[in-house]
Amino acid sequence: MAATEQPVQETASGKQEFAVENPATGEVIAHCPDLGAADIAAMARRGREVQPAWDALGFEGRGRILRRMQKWVIDHQDEIIAVIRSETGKTYEDALIAEISYGAAAFGFWAVNAPKYLADEKVKSSAVLVKGKKLMLRHKPLGLIGVIGPWNYPLTNSFGDCIPALAAGNSVILKPSEITPLTSLKLAEGLRECGIPEGVFQVATGLGATGAALVDQVDMIMFTGSTATGKKVMQKAAETLTPVSLELGGKDPMIVLADADVDRAANTALYYGMFNGGQTCISVERVYVEAPVYDEFVAKVTDRARALRQGDGPSGSVDVGSMTFPPQVDIVERHVEDAKAKGAKVLVGGARGEHDGGYWYEPTVLVDVDHTMSAMMEETFGPTLPIMKVRDEEEAIKMANDSPYGLGASVFGRDTRHAEAVARRVEAGAVCVNDALINYSALELPMGGVKASGIGSRHGAGGIRKFTQQQALLVTRFATKKDPHMYPYSAKMTARLGKFFGFLYGRGKRD
Ligand code: NDP
């Protein structure tokens, strides 16, 4: 549950609703219904009623709507960006690069690839008892999927998982974060215009309890959010044996080896540390630099960090936006103050920004950090870049793996074979060499965390098959009236079968 929930108020008609703020200004920009368990149950009934017809449309019919939606996103990008910015405080560029481009690409990708990833598969078996029979693996939609999303990327990480779930033939109920529900409502409008049948996609606005109620109603839960809430969701889902896929928090390390292109490493660390105000699950959250290039790296990062423009301006006028979730500012401040108290130095930033209202924290560079500090061990999820000097790559790998999380990571080195060998030793769901974070845009490549960063993954074949049930089919087309092993058992037939199994399996070499 969000650390500070929005106050809920009652409307004249007795309905509960909550306020949505623009975090760059602190102004209330909308009110949304706070739906309860009865509302969610009614939505679930509706979703289930219409799902068979949606499934029956086939990949082609569903794909037509998804492709229309791809164009709709591009045609309406400025409107969508305005909505995203109004509820997240991110810059125009952050919304364009990581939300519009992702959403538009994803509609096309799943329209084209759902039929490939979910096609019936012929299976060959060496089992003697099924010789001559047709064996098939089928991926059947689960029915009704619940998607619960966070506030940092309301299109990419909240709405994004609905696209493969719909492409697979499911109905979907999306519960967006109470902080950022407006983007989902805008996209629901788009899907309606593009012809999605009523009830196939529904948005359930509300607070944490709305998400909890959704877990009880659906056939599968796709959750993206904090590790703490992910555990609660998994616990609740266990009551109904509902499958879950969990995309959780991260503390992504970057390793800069002594032979790295320091310019590229510094630019990448700064960009993917500060992108979206550092509120990205796969942000560069901590950097380990080998001693020979440490001073040069720190100098380059520091110079460039000082030049960053933070604010709420039009496209091209600012680099870093506001924080989206007000309590996140307190977390960032706590991490920086804790680091300072334990001996870290702040080279850039280190304070709440001076702005006309809203929730801000300055782009911040920290050095002289170590693993006793929250800034190195807990997810900060803000515009901070703590940099630590390490003796050698062994220490860098040890430090990178000294974390409860395992979402993303990056390694920089000119000898890419060597850097790749280092990358293979990092405990993370995805590791980039001479890059960071951009792997997320490759929808063919699985993206998911290990350790406390999650269970399951999105993208690739697994990113859509998780919204389906694997059904095994065995078809006996040509057969005798009775197979030899069937009743009545006879000693003669049993002896023959025993010999046959011995012939098949009993000739292996002994060690
Ligand atoms: P939260 O865990 O606070 O919330 C996530 C969603 O869960 C929100 O919609 C929230 O509703 C809802 N929720 C809260 N309580 C419950 C409950 N008991 N049962 C069901 N749903 C509930 O995460 P944040 O929104 O703060 O998102 C930030 C986190 O998400 C970070 O840790 C980040 O790393 C992670 N993240 C991971 C990604 C990945 O791919 N691995 C991608 C993006 C973010 P409400 O907001 O109304 O409380």
Side-chain angles (χ1 to χ4, degrees):
M1 188 167 303
T4 304
E5 286 197 331
Q6 299 292 327
V8 173
Q9 63 187 46
E10 202 164 289
T11 62
S13 58
K15 297 258 185 221
Q16 306 284 308
E17 59 176 33
F18 62 94
V20 183
E21 265 183 12
N22 179 337
T25 61
E27 280 167 314
V28 171
I29 52 170
H31 287 88
C32 287
D34 177 26
L35 299 180
D39 301 303
I40 299 298
M43 290 170 91
R45 278 195 297 278
R46 182 79 190 116
R48 288 188 190 286
E49 270 165 23
V50 296
Q51 187 269 331
W54 175 242
D55 184 25
L57 272 184
F59 292 118
E60 191 46 44
R62 293 193 295 275
R64 257 197 304 277
I65 294 170
L66 298 182
R67 275 191 292 269
R68 261 183 238 147
M69 191 58 190
Q70 181 177 41
K71 182 166 180 329
W72 189 92
V73 168
I74 294 300
D75 290 348
H76 294 77
Q77 64 176 352
D78 276 341
E79 276 168 58
I80 303 169
I81 288 176
V83 174
I84 293 174
R85 293 191 68 195
S86 73
E87 61 181 357
T88 62
K90 66 178 76 185
T91 64
Y92 184 97
E93 282 76 8
D94 286 353
L96 178 75
I97 294 168
E99 304 249 45
I100 295 295
S101 81
Y102 179 93
F107 277 112
F109 177 82
W110 292 113
V112 170
N113 288 290
K116 293 185 197 161
Y117 289 144
L118 302 183
D120 285 0
E121 295 170 43
K122 270 196 183 153
V123 175
K124 280 193 181 154
S125 173
S126 61
V128 67
L129 296 181
V130 299
K131 281 285 172 250
K133 297 173 196 287
K134 180 171 127 181
L135 307 179
M136 301 283 293
L137 175 60
R138 172 190 176 213
H139 305 280
K140 180 178 181 259
L142 281 166
L144 179 64
I145 306 296
V147 177
I148 301 178
W151 44 259
N152 59 341
Y153 288 98
L155 197 169
T156 298
N157 278 335
S158 203
F159 184 84
D161 287 303
C162 302
I163 307 170
L166 289 168
N170 298 289
S171 287
V172 174
I173 300 177
L174 167 63
K175 179 352 213 149
S177 165
E178 78 204 48
I179 307 299
T180 55
L182 307 179
T183 306
S184 302
L185 295 169
K186 180 77 191 162
L187 290 159
E189 194 184 304
L191 277 171
R192 272 197 302 277
E193 278 182 33
C194 292
I196 199 165
E198 192 62 35
V200 168
F201 176 72
Q202 303 173 83
V203 179
T205 55
L207 312 188
T210 310
L214 185 60
V215 177
D216 287 338
Q217 294 291 338
V218 293
D219 300 312
M220 187 267 184
I221 273 287
M222 171 67 231
F223 173 85
T224 306
S226 63
T227 301
T229 311
K231 286 180 184 171
K232 285 188 205 160
V233 165
M234 194 167 175
Q235 257 167 8
K236 185 132 187 62
E239 290 167 16
T240 45
L241 283 181
T242 302
V244 293
S245 184
L246 306 175
E247 295 287 337
L248 308 176
K251 186 74 189 168
D252 290 11
M254 173 187 275
I255 295 176
V256 183
L257 299 171
D259 72 336
D261 174 340
V262 176
D263 269 304
R264 177 157 182 87
N267 285 328
T268 311
L270 188 68
Y271 186 64
Y272 291 122
M274 304 299 166
F275 186 73
N276 209 44
Q279 303 160 109
T280 305
C281 53
I282 47 176
S283 288
V284 176
E285 283 250 341
R286 52 197 171 113
V287 188
Y288 303 97
V289 188
E290 274 198 89
V293 287
Y294 174 81
D295 289 341
E296 185 188 351
F297 179 85
V298 169
K300 286 185 164 154
V301 165
T302 305
D303 270 4
R304 290 159 205 184
R306 285 204 181 103
L308 290 175
R309 301 160 297 170
Q310 188 172 36
D312 182 27
S315 164
S317 67
V318 288
D319 303 307
V320 182
S322 74
M323 303 295 293
T324 299
F325 181 44
Q328 201 65 37
V329 189
D330 301 331
I331 296 173
V332 179
E333 186 170 57
R334 175 166 65 72
H335 286 193
V336 173
E337 293 310 316
D338 169 73
K340 274 162 63 182
K342 290 174 180 161
K345 258 202 237 93
V346 175
L347 297 185
V348 184
R352 287 165 187 258
E354 289 292 315
H355 294 266
D356 237 359
Y359 310 100
W360 301 84
Y361 201 89
E362 294 171 350
T364 296
V365 178
L366 294 165
V367 292
D368 296 344
V369 289
D370 62 41
H371 278 207
T372 64
M373 301 170 186
S374 314
M376 295 298 278
M377 299 308 288
E378 294 171 29
E379 188 179 41
T380 306
F381 223 56
T384 59
L385 197 63
I387 308 171
M388 182 171 168
K389 189 197 284 191
V390 288
R391 243 184 350 265
D392 53 26
E393 74 187 40
E394 284 308 317
E395 190 184 7
I397 296 167
K398 192 170 155 230
M399 290 293 164
N401 290 340
D402 178 29
S403 169
Y405 294 108
L407 196 52
S410 55
V411 179
F412 282 72
R414 279 202 174 86
D415 177 349
T416 51
R417 284 175 64 158
H418 179 70
E420 189 184 321
V422 172
R424 286 171 185 267
R425 295 176 60 196
V426 179
E427 294 162 3
V431 192
C432 296
V433 171
N434 294 328
D435 230 311
L437 204 145
I438 204 74
N439 58 300
Y440 200 92
S441 63
L443 297 172
E444 297 78 1
L445 198 57
M447 165 68 218
V450 295
K451 301 203 274 189
S453 290
I455 294 174
S457 61
R458 51 166 63 104
H459 303 163
I464 187 162
R465 287 188 184 156
K466 67 185 175 186
F467 298 122
T468 64
Q469 175 215 326
Q470 282 189 22
Q471 187 178 52
L473 291 171
L474 180 150
V475 180
T476 301
R477 286 169 295 186
F478 314 106
T480 54
K481 301 280 179 216
K482 183 166 90 70
D483 292 338
H485 60 275
M486 288 179 177
Y487 296 138
Y489 286 149
S490 79
K492 202 166 140 195
M493 181 53 75
T494 303
R496 261 194 216 159
L497 281 174
K499 268 196 186 152
F500 185 49
F501 293 144
F503 172 73
L504 284 179
Y505 310 124
R507 291 172 299 154
K509 278 190 189 156
R510 296 239 169 103
D511 290 332

